Amino acid sequence: MSESVFLAETDLAARGVPSRYPAWLDVLQSATGLFLALFMWGHMFFVASILLGKTAMWSITRLFEGYFFLGASYPRLVSGVAACVFLVFVAHALLAARKFPLSYRQYRVMRAHTRAMRHEDSTLWMWQIYTGFSLFFLASAHLYQMLVWPQNIGPYASSDRIWSDGLWPFYLLMLLAVELHGGIGLYRLCVKWGWPRLSRGLLKKLKWALTAFFLTLGILTLAAYMKIGYEHRLNYGERYHPDTLPQWLLPFAPSGEFSDPPALPPAAEGKEA
Amino acid sequence: MSRQVIFNILRYNPQLPNVTPHLQRYLLEAADGMTLFIALNEIREHQDATLQFDFVCRAGICGSCAMLINGRPRLACRTLVADLPDENTLAPLPFFELIGDLSVNTGKWMRGMSERLSVWLHAQEMEVDTRRIEERMDAETAEAVYELDRCVECGCCVAACGTARMRPDFVGAVGLGKIARFRADPRDMREDADFYELIGDDTGVFGCMSLLACHDVCPKTLPLQTQIAFLRRKMAAQTIKSAGKKTSLR
């Protein structure tokens, strides 16, 4: 075995020069958290497209499947994105787990501390622990589903999953956990690194405003899927396909799918004439 | 009309381990301008001579009278009884070694922390020539150093720190604040690589979870949040800058 193994095993490595790892772990924890929080907000907007109508949501889905620029739908592209997010998520979970209370003693001390202190930022940290812990399971299940069955995303497919497959309580829990965790996390990133240079009071207000906005948007969106799923329950499994697309989107759709330029047989007539 | 205030004070003397820790109730008539420090002296003088608590300066300079006032660390001498509710709970600062009742040994921990972080001036010249005029420091720098030098080591920031409570080897805001103080001092010859050796791990700046209770309870209103964030950026930059180079850092 190498010298470094024995130095580490006997704790004598610490007598030498300091390790770079703590800095990298800290930076990566923040970076992965930032990526996930921003992804989650973007994701919320895409999912919320159902509030603009089934065709809007269908178009967004197809966009990410490459339909509008590759000429056909490739749900595997969504799997690819899910796989990347999954990797970042696992990295973030591993890095953030270092900060969890890892024994009952630590947990009890922290709980008593936050209760006695009645200090908002300390209490919010406990919420980050609770929501973060629940996301180990909720986000993993969701990401796995998107990784393996990316084709089951769409106005009817998603609604069937939420209503007929009975997953709406799962999504409700995940919505609460992810919005609280991401919102508190972004606020903490700002105060942790001191950027942007806004006052903590203002940052806190922004944080709550954003959390309220995304929670409202999320609940409305979930309700919309539940309603569509309920109305579609007798046709479970059927996929949505719009009759037509907005005029501006038509040129991007693969030829022959929506626009029917063959509606110009008159050209042939012209020739005859 | 005078106001009656109740103080439930946590009593425990480690010298008398048979007496279990308990809250003892004291009733006191509040007087004009009375601080909690004066109230405690009244209680000790007229009600219970065995009550232990610390004080020296009475004016928020020595940092001795820090205690948990209704769950939050504060200085007794900077707390007006008029601002307190009718019933209060007083307890010793957690984290530090308990001497008895409200008295804790912050000095012991502070000394250990100071030695561990070498928070004293590391000047280039070891021998000071007292006949020579000291080098001038511009007013802005002196102000920045003085701002951080106002720390009285009362221990409030450490007692309020969730990180330190869970992980007692954490250096706390007081330790990080002192590093920031010497980093700001142009007479100190140490560079970021040297400071990284002292605070570049999870017991130092990267252990801070930014709960910021330190900042919110500091009786001297030190800018702890911005200083810790500043150190975090500098220490992270130190590592990232040296990443490409072949250095002795592992």
Side-chain angles (χ1 to χ4, degrees):
Chain A
M1 255 180 267
S2 71
E3 182 181 297
S4 65
V5 169
F6 285 107
L7 282 175
E9 169 67 6
T10 53
D11 260 354
L12 289 171
R15 301 227 139 224
V17 283
S19 166
R20 270 191 202 134
Y21 286 112
W24 276 114
L25 296 181
D26 194 55
V27 169
L28 286 175
Q29 185 188 339
S30 291
T32 49
L34 178 67
F35 170 83
L36 290 170
L38 296 179
F39 172 83
M40 176 270 291
W41 278 350
H43 174 281
M44 188 72 242
F45 280 122
F46 301 139
V47 173
S49 59
I50 196 71
L51 296 173
L52 300 176
K54 296 188 189 90
T55 305
M57 195 267 175
W58 181 90
S59 307
I60 294 274
T61 311
R62 290 292 150 128
L63 173 72
F64 288 113
E65 291 172 357
Y67 179 74
F68 292 112
F69 47 91
L70 297 177
S73 282
Y74 298 99
R76 258 177 292 170
L77 291 176
V78 176
S79 287
V81 174
C84 294
V85 174
F86 215 157
L87 275 180
V88 179
F89 170 76
V90 170
H92 183 71
L94 185 66
L95 291 164
R98 300 176 306 140
K99 306 291 180 185
F100 272 60
L102 291 176
S103 64
Y104 180 62
R105 187 202 73 83
Q106 285 187 345
Y107 174 73
R108 204 187 46 189
V109 162
M110 196 62 191
R111 199 170 146 80
H113 175 69
T114 47
R115 284 187 169 184
M117 286 279 295
R118 288 163 290 114
H119 176 251
E120 192 185 4
D121 283 19
S122 301
T123 307
L124 285 178
W125 185 84
M126 280 307 260
W127 277 100
Q128 240 180 329
I129 292 297
Y130 296 138
T131 52
F133 186 74
S134 65
L135 284 170
F136 282 152
F137 312 102
L138 298 172
S140 292
H142 176 60
L143 281 163
Y144 184 78
Q145 211 168 19
M146 294 304 115
L147 189 69
V148 179
W149 299 288
Q151 70 279 14
N152 291 350
I153 305 173
Y156 286 156
S158 300
S159 300
D160 285 346
R161 169 154 38 89
I162 282 166
W163 185 261
S164 298
D165 293 345
L167 279 186
W168 65 266
F170 170 85
Y171 282 104
L172 185 61
L173 281 179
M174 188 164 66
L175 174 72
L176 291 172
V178 87
E179 290 304 338
L180 285 174
H181 191 88
I184 300 169
L186 279 183
Y187 160 76
R188 208 174 295 286
L189 272 189
C190 296
V191 293
K192 180 179 266 192
W193 294 96
W195 190 90
R197 287 174 193 275
L198 300 173
S199 77
R200 255 169 85 204
L202 184 61
L203 284 170
K204 188 76 73 56
K205 274 190 198 132
L206 266 175
K207 177 207 109 62
W208 282 120
L210 283 165
T211 303
F213 170 75
F214 280 105
L215 269 181
T216 310
L217 187 65
I219 287 170
L220 288 176
T221 301
L222 184 60
Y225 283 110
M226 285 168 73
K227 179 170 177 284
I228 297 171
Y230 175 75
E231 288 162 358
H232 192 251
R233 68 192 185 284
L234 298 177
N235 297 317
Y236 177 84
E238 178 208 30
R239 293 292 185 259
Y240 180 80
H241 194 82
D243 297 329
T244 183
L245 287 179
Q247 203 61 39
W248 62 270
L249 199 54
L250 277 176
F252 298 100
S255 55
E257 284 255 342
F258 289 98
S259 57
D260 285 314
L264 289 186
E269 282 171 27
K271 196 180 171 190
E272 266 181 31
Chain B
M1 206 183 84
S2 67
R3 178 173 161 245
Q4 299 287 315
V5 186
I6 296 166
F7 293 106
N8 297 308
I9 302 181
L10 192 71
R11 303 296 309 270
Y12 180 61
N13 185 346
Q15 308 290 325
L16 306 169
N18 292 333
V19 184
T20 50
H22 61 282
L23 285 175
Q24 191 165 339
R25 190 183 166 95
Y26 300 92
L27 188 68
L28 189 77
E29 198 168 299
D32 281 344
M34 183 186 247
T35 63
L36 181 57
F37 152 77
I38 296 171
L40 286 169
N41 272 298
E42 285 277 318
I43 291 172
R44 180 151 67 182
E45 214 161 307
H46 302 294
Q47 300 188 29
D48 189 342
T50 66
L51 183 65
Q52 299 182 64
F53 59 93
D54 297 324
F55 68 93
V56 180
C57 77
R58 328 177 299 281
I61 299 164
C62 73
S64 304
C65 63
M67 57 185 68
L68 287 188
I69 303 171
N70 297 322
R72 277 196 178 214
R74 290 173 74 174
L75 294 183
C77 69
R78 298 270 293 248
T79 304
L80 284 169
V81 173
D83 296 338
L84 291 175
D86 289 342
E87 183 157 0
N88 300 278
T89 306
L90 305 180
L93 282 192
F95 188 83
F96 300 101
E97 183 189 312
L98 181 68
I99 295 170
D101 299 339
L102 301 175
S103 169
V104 291
N105 193 347
T106 47
K108 187 174 166 185
W109 185 86
M110 291 292 169
R111 183 180 176 121
M113 177 275 296
S114 299
E115 287 176 356
R116 181 172 144 205
L117 296 183
S118 1
V119 281
W120 54 85
L121 197 73
H122 287 53
Q124 201 165 30
E125 305 164 50
M126 298 310 280
E127 299 274 321
V128 177
D129 183 358
T130 49
R131 286 162 300 180
R132 221 183 57 202
I133 296 174
E134 227 183 329
E135 232 175 281
R136 290 186 71 85
M137 190 188 286
D138 66 90
E140 216 171 287
T141 313
E143 198 62 47
V145 172
Y146 176 71
E147 169 79 347
L148 298 171
D149 224 9
R150 293 185 301 115
C151 173
V152 295
E153 301 189 3
C154 60
C156 284
C157 60
V158 187
C161 175
T163 310
R165 297 299 312 284
M166 281 205 300
R167 306 184 174 91
D169 56 352
F170 181 56
V171 298
V174 55
L176 296 173
K178 281 176 185 294
I179 291 286
R181 179 248 175 272
F182 285 101
R183 196 184 172 282
D185 194 325
R187 293 167 299 176
D188 198 297
M189 290 298 129
R190 287 177 288 183
E191 290 177 356
D192 277 347
D194 303 309
F195 291 122
Y196 188 93
E197 284 191 32
L198 299 168
I199 56 163
D201 65 10
D202 282 354
T203 67
V205 73
F206 299 121
C208 167
M209 303 193 296
S210 309
L211 309 189
L212 299 182
C214 55
H215 184 103
D216 296 336
V217 303
C218 178
K220 307 303 281 188
T221 59
L222 294 181
L224 294 169
Q225 184 236 322
T226 44
Q227 287 304 315
I228 296 173
F230 176 74
L231 280 180
R232 191 185 284 269
R233 292 200 300 272
K234 289 295 165 195
M235 292 300 109
Q238 164 66 27
T239 306
I240 291 165
K241 259 189 275 170
S242 64
K245 297 179 206 149
K246 246 195 161 178
T247 65
S248 54
L249 283 182
R250 260 177 290 166

